[in-house]
Amino acid sequence: MPKASLQAAWSIINDSFKTDMVFVYPPHVIAIAALFLSRVVDQGNQSDVEAQQWYADLNVDVTDVLQVVNELLAVYEVWTGYVDEKMPDMVSRYIADIAASC
């Protein structure tokens, strides 16, 4: 695996710590999902047959890995829509709504 792909996998793993998935899934499942995502982004040098065989040899539940992948993709989708400048106004409106309901 190229060094850039490994670095991307580490970044993805670090991002997973900003979610609750570290409490839901075992570390090896998150690591495999990160490797999978980094390979998809990089397209690596492995052929599809080699990659499929590598994942098959791991003996993990593919369903769990794909759930982690989907959760990570959902997190990245939310993060791309996040705009820091909007937050003070949103928090102020939230506080005002709470105060109005009391």
Side-chain angles (χ1 to χ4, degrees), residues 13-77:
I13 290 169
N14 288 335
D15 290 344
S16 74
F17 281 99
K18 298 174 185 172
T19 71
D20 64 349
M21 74 178 63
V22 296
F23 301 112
V24 178
Y25 299 100
H28 68 279
V29 173
I30 295 171
I32 293 167
L35 289 170
F36 175 80
L37 278 174
S38 69
R39 187 183 183 289
V40 167
V41 170
D42 184 46
Q43 292 299 312
N45 293 328
Q46 290 179 309
S47 70
D48 288 336
V49 173
E50 289 173 334
Q52 289 173 3
Q53 185 60 47
W54 186 80
Y55 288 115
D57 290 342
L58 291 176
N59 195 24
V60 296
D61 186 2
V62 177
T63 306
D64 286 346
V65 173
L66 293 177
Q67 285 175 341
V68 170
V69 167
N70 285 331
E71 285 188 38
L72 285 166
L73 292 175
V75 165
Y76 290 138
E77 185 176 335

